[in-house]
Amino acid sequence: MPAPGTLAPTVVVRLVGACLVAVAVAQLVSPLRGYQHHHPVLVAAVVVLLLALLAGLRARRAAPPVPRLLGRPWRTALFAAVVTGLHAWAIRYPYGWDAGYLSGVARAMELGQPLDPQQALYLSHYPINLPVLDALRLAMAVHRVSGFPVAATTALISAVVTGVVVLVTGSLLARPIGSVNASATWAGTIASSVALVLVGLNPWMSVMYSDQLALVFPVLVVWLVVRWSTTRSRAGAIVVMVLAGLCVGVGGSVKATVLVVLVAVVLGLALCPRPPGRGTRDVAVAIVVLALTGVGATVVAPHVWRAASGAAPWMDGGREMPVERWLWVGLTPSRRSDGTVVNGTYNARIDVALRPLPTAEARRVSREGVTARVRELGPSGLVAWEVRKVRWNLSDGMFTAYGEGQDPRTAETEALSAPWWEVPARWLSAPGGGGHAGRGAATQALWVSTMLVAGVGCLTVRRARVDALTTSLALGVAGIVAFTALMEARPRYVLVYAPVLVLLAARTCPAATRSPAPQVVDAHLR
């Protein structure tokens, strides 16, 4: 019989596992083609190799000794930060689309120029991009004062973000050196390495945009909740939850997908047995504090960004795009330049139709578009649409890097004039590079393997180990899948939750959980 209160979390974790396995197997058997075509046979071969290595680790009676260099998460994090920063700087390129447009706006503002009508209308339509504008203006101010290039500041931000992600990942999973169960330390090291490859070395880390800026927040919120469960002082525990709520609010104002982690953590705490040393009242207070702080910070943060940007005098608060616009786009097919029809990605036709309208009218038109599209699809068609969309959004381990606007051409052109020391990174990661296809296939195989490991782990993990942490991670993955299924989305939107999936895979992987003794984190949130 399951422990009291563990049935609902177990069902949630099993459903998430089934979804991940289904998507991963479908991508191996009948792969969808993203921006970069990955050779299916090569991807499948690397997946088999990676899973065989993991199975070999699982088959050992005892995990191999942990080298002292790998036994401290901060060392792995420092290494990841340095590698990420150097890689992001080496593959920099003049990107376009929204990120490039915001760079132009920030440059004009730094020169003291007033916004032109198009720039003002863009910011009025998409005020959620104001944090990116603020970050760009800060980077340009640093360049003006010190000569430090904007691309170098972007690389530095990516280094810090990746370092924090890897540090959190390792610290949530690893044990101190000398532990009787070294498999937990290996799980932390392997998971940190996977996070580095999937996130830190992703070409998106050379682009200053909301994906890069928001990347740290979901895993940081999870880490803070774990710290709450082990903080002895009740006042200290409340402070930790306030910090977690602030992370939700700040992150959610940068990228709306971050708000998913608030729902995931609250449900994880509510559904699972309370942690040791925490009473029902403690859990209830923690949930209320986290929810109120998170929602409050989410409401206040946009006003802070608006004031800091200096763009408020030119912006029209009555022209913001309504949420229904993203729902309408999410239900509308778009045709890519190669002729492929994609479910629910950016649709220029809809934006052209809504651009001249005030918010209230745009909301009405968008609702009509959503209603008409739902009727057109019908119940079975809507289900099929969402299934295809989930597959598409989870299909690319490179998260459609270089897949926006004219980026493929500008990145390839930039690579031709790169200095010698940047050539290895561009050979591996830039379009047209000799190793780009192989690196893409290997990364795709790592992504599919991560989904498989997480899926199988969720399906087979023992009920006793389905605690608040595991449930929150599973709900975080389910939340980003649901968010991107309903809204305008593409694989890039999943990047922010890639570390959460990696944590879920390491948390439920049989190789990391075979010891009957609970890991350190299990004692935190059981």
Side-chain angles (χ1 to χ4, degrees):
M1 291 292 291
T6 62
L7 180 58
T10 302
V11 171
V12 169
V13 170
R14 298 284 190 258
L15 289 175
V16 172
C19 174
L20 291 173
V21 169
V23 172
V25 171
Q27 191 61 17
L28 285 173
V29 175
S30 179
L32 295 178
R33 177 170 180 167
Y35 155 67
Q36 182 181 348
H37 177 63
H38 308 296
H39 197 289
V41 176
L42 178 59
V43 170
V46 177
V47 167
V48 171
L49 175 62
L50 291 174
L51 295 181
L53 290 174
L54 187 62
L57 179 63
R58 174 72 179 89
R60 295 176 66 105
R61 290 188 176 182
V66 181
R68 183 164 293 274
L69 182 64
L70 300 179
R72 296 286 185 260
W74 68 266
R75 292 174 179 167
T76 309
L78 181 60
F79 172 78
V82 172
V83 171
T84 297
L86 292 174
H87 181 264
W89 168 254
I91 65 170
R92 65 196 182 280
Y93 66 98
Y95 40 84
W97 51 287
D98 295 67
Y101 190 81
L102 286 166
S103 295
V105 175
R107 193 174 299 110
M109 296 184 71
E110 282 301 302
L111 293 174
Q113 301 173 357
L115 299 184
D116 64 39
Q118 285 301 113
Q119 293 172 332
L121 185 61
Y122 175 87
L123 293 179
S124 299
H125 280 158
Y126 307 108
I128 195 168
N129 282 334
L130 286 175
V132 181
L133 178 64
D134 291 341
L136 284 164
R137 290 199 63 185
L138 178 61
M140 290 177 184
V142 170
H143 174 65
R144 185 181 67 249
V145 172
S146 66
F148 197 66
V150 173
T153 300
T154 302
L156 181 61
I157 292 173
S158 294
V160 173
V161 165
T162 303
V164 173
V165 166
V166 169
L167 179 62
V168 168
T169 300
S171 64
L172 282 174
L173 296 167
R175 281 185 166 215
I177 297 176
S179 168
V180 293
N181 179 19
S183 64
T185 306
W186 276 111
T189 302
I190 293 171
S192 299
S193 302
V194 172
L196 170 61
V197 174
L198 291 177
V199 175
L201 297 182
N202 190 282
W204 285 130
M205 298 304 279
S206 66
V207 178
M208 189 179 290
Y209 198 56
S210 55
D211 307 280
Q212 173 217 36
L213 299 176
L215 188 60
V216 71
F217 290 105
V219 290
L220 193 55
V221 170
V222 171
W223 180 81
L224 285 168
V225 173
V226 171
R227 297 283 73 80
W228 162 82
S229 71
T230 58
T231 302
R232 295 182 180 180
S233 165
R234 288 188 174 180
I238 290 177
V239 170
V240 170
M241 277 305 194
V242 168
L243 291 175
L246 291 175
C247 287
V248 169
V250 174
S253 67
V254 174
K255 192 83 175 177
T257 52
V258 174
L259 298 176
V260 166
V261 77
L262 174 62
V263 180
V265 168
V266 166
L267 288 177
L269 290 173
L271 291 175
C272 294
R274 62 182 185 271
R278 291 282 183 256
T280 303
R281 180 181 176 183
D282 295 324
V283 175
V285 169
I287 289 174
V288 171
V289 169
L290 175 61
L292 289 180
T293 309
V295 172
T298 302
V299 172
V300 172
H303 298 285
V304 176
W305 299 126
R306 183 185 292 258
S309 70
W314 292 279
M315 294 175 61
D316 182 353
R319 301 299 295 273
E320 182 176 353
M321 287 290 184
V323 173
E324 291 85 348
R325 175 261 180 203
W326 277 267
L327 287 169
W328 187 13
V329 174
L331 285 167
T332 306
S334 299
R335 188 175 297 275
R336 297 190 305 180
S337 57
D338 62 0
T340 306
V341 176
V342 180
N343 290 14
T345 190
Y346 174 75
N347 190 293
R349 178 181 60 82
I350 289 178
D351 266 12
V352 169
L354 297 180
R355 198 169 293 154
L357 306 178
T359 300
E361 184 66 11
R363 179 174 291 111
R364 182 189 64 80
V365 173
S366 297
R367 286 177 178 175
E368 291 176 354
V370 169
T371 302
R373 187 69 182 132
V374 170
R375 287 175 178 170
E376 178 186 349
L377 288 170
S380 60
L382 184 60
V383 171
W385 170 274
E386 296 298 350
V387 169
R388 288 194 299 270
K389 196 175 174 190
V390 168
R391 275 204 65 196
W392 164 252
N393 290 331
L394 296 177
S395 67
D396 189 1
M398 293 292 287
F399 306 103
T400 56
Y402 303 113
E404 302 280 2
Q406 303 299 313
D407 282 14
R409 282 179 284 277
T410 57
E412 188 168 356
T413 301
E414 190 75 8
L416 297 177
S417 57
W420 66 268
W421 75 272
E422 296 175 5
V423 170
R426 293 185 183 274
W427 180 85
L428 194 64
S429 297
H436 184 53
R439 175 259 164 88
T443 306
Q444 176 72 357
L446 182 62
W447 174 246
V448 173
S449 299
T450 303
M451 284 196 292
L452 276 174
V453 171
V456 173
C458 286
L459 289 172
T460 58
V461 65
R462 289 186 290 126
R463 284 173 171 170
R465 289 188 178 272
V466 179
D467 56 13
L469 176 57
T470 302
T471 305
S472 297
L473 294 171
L475 285 168
V477 172
I480 192 61
V481 169
F483 187 101
T484 53
L486 293 174
M487 300 289 191
E488 173 195 349
R490 37 202 170 280
R492 174 169 61 84
Y493 288 22
V494 179
L495 177 62
V496 174
Y497 279 82
V500 175
L501 179 63
V502 171
L503 270 172
L504 180 63
R507 181 76 177 156
T508 59
C509 176
T513 61
R514 60 183 172 179
S515 172
Q519 300 174 16
V520 171
V521 175
D522 288 323
H524 294 165
L525 285 177
R526 283 184 62 186

